[in-house]
Amino acid sequence: MTTSEENIINTYQELVDEIDKDIERIRSEYGGGPCPSNCFQCCLNTSTIPISEVEARDLKKGLDLLPKEIRKHIRQKALKTINVLKAKGFTPENMTKDAGMQAIDVVKGKSFGECPMLIGGVCSVYEHRPVICRVWGYPIDNGNELACCKKTFIGQRRNYKPLNYADYWKRCKTLSEALGAEQKTPNCYLVVKLIEE
């Protein structure tokens, strides 16, 4: 890894630290975390969400820490999703154009629609999860509207200064472009790329 790449990764880690502090601000104001410990609803139907290159670099660190058997299981889950998507005419390129929204209809409610890294209701790469996974459940400004999980902050979303997801994502995009990546990669395709056989 070059010094430039190291600087980019360090800048991403600073962004993650900033996000964690902003989340802690809301948690403190709210009186704790909004999500029940046994809820992983937001990890369902996410096998097609796009992930930036800088997030992928951090995600790889988490995947590399897992036992070989778990990595193999995650890769097999991702390949199953890819095979279903291919059969329906989806490619990484056409999924990236609409942020994987049309592809969600193909995977929605199916086991192959969940994040490949979800194992037994637990995120296997929690400390290295992408930005959207860090902020979902809290009120976020996505650049168009105030967004939030339908199960959290009900009737209270506007009582808190939202997390600035639009800015976080813009910064991830800029860092990814500095790494030479112009577009995001759908989750399932990224996982297969990151976990080589």
Side-chain angles (χ1 to χ4, degrees):
M1 187 182 302
T2 67
T3 304
S4 176
E5 288 173 322
E6 285 178 21
N7 290 340
I8 292 167
I9 300 305
N10 289 339
T11 301
Y12 174 73
Q13 189 55 58
E14 289 169 7
L15 172 60
V16 168
D17 293 343
E18 181 183 327
I19 292 168
D20 288 347
K21 285 179 188 163
D22 215 11
I23 287 171
E24 189 51 43
R25 170 190 55 83
I26 293 182
R27 289 175 64 93
S28 178
E29 292 171 11
Y30 186 68
C35 306
S37 60
N38 63 347
C39 183
F40 51 90
Q41 192 73 34
C42 61
C43 304
L44 306 179
N45 311 317
T46 57
S47 61
T48 64
I49 65 166
I51 298 174
S52 71
E53 179 64 24
V54 72
E55 294 170 293
R57 301 270 179 117
D58 190 53
L59 187 58
K60 179 156 179 44
K61 291 178 190 175
L63 289 167
D64 287 348
L65 292 172
L66 297 173
K68 184 178 179 178
E69 300 79 29
I70 300 292
R71 287 195 310 270
K72 183 177 178 182
H73 175 74
I74 290 169
R75 191 171 198 281
Q76 287 172 340
K77 281 179 67 175
L79 285 170
K80 183 176 181 181
T81 304
I82 290 169
N83 289 335
V84 170
L85 292 167
K86 277 185 182 177
K88 296 289 186 176
F90 287 98
T91 65
E93 294 75 25
N94 66 23
M95 279 192 284
T96 302
K97 288 178 186 169
D98 74 347
M101 296 308 291
Q102 289 183 0
I104 286 175
D105 290 336
V106 174
V107 302
K108 195 170 190 173
K110 310 285 192 311
S111 62
F112 50 80
E114 70 183 27
C115 177
M117 293 159 288
L118 183 69
I119 309 287
V122 176
C123 177
S124 60
V125 290
Y126 188 78
E127 294 301 322
H128 299 276
R129 67 201 185 282
V131 171
I132 189 62
C133 304
R134 293 175 181 279
V135 302
W136 195 248
Y138 297 92
I140 64 172
D141 174 358
N142 67 14
N144 297 317
E145 62 185 357
L146 177 69
C148 193
C149 172
K150 290 180 171 62
K151 294 182 171 187
T152 60
F153 290 90
I154 299 166
Q156 302 177 50
R157 293 172 187 161
R158 300 204 180 278
N159 297 348
Y160 301 90
K161 179 183 173 192
L163 301 172
N164 194 348
Y165 177 70
D167 176 61
Y168 302 153
W169 180 249
K170 182 179 175 185
R171 288 158 68 186
C172 284
K173 183 175 187 272
T174 300
L175 292 170
S176 295
E177 287 170 353
L179 289 168
E182 293 297 317
Q183 69 180 44
K184 305 164 272 188
T185 305
N187 188 0
C188 55
Y189 286 90
L190 178 65
V191 165
V192 168
K193 178 180 151 187
L194 295 178
I195 303 175
E196 298 176 9
E197 285 190 309

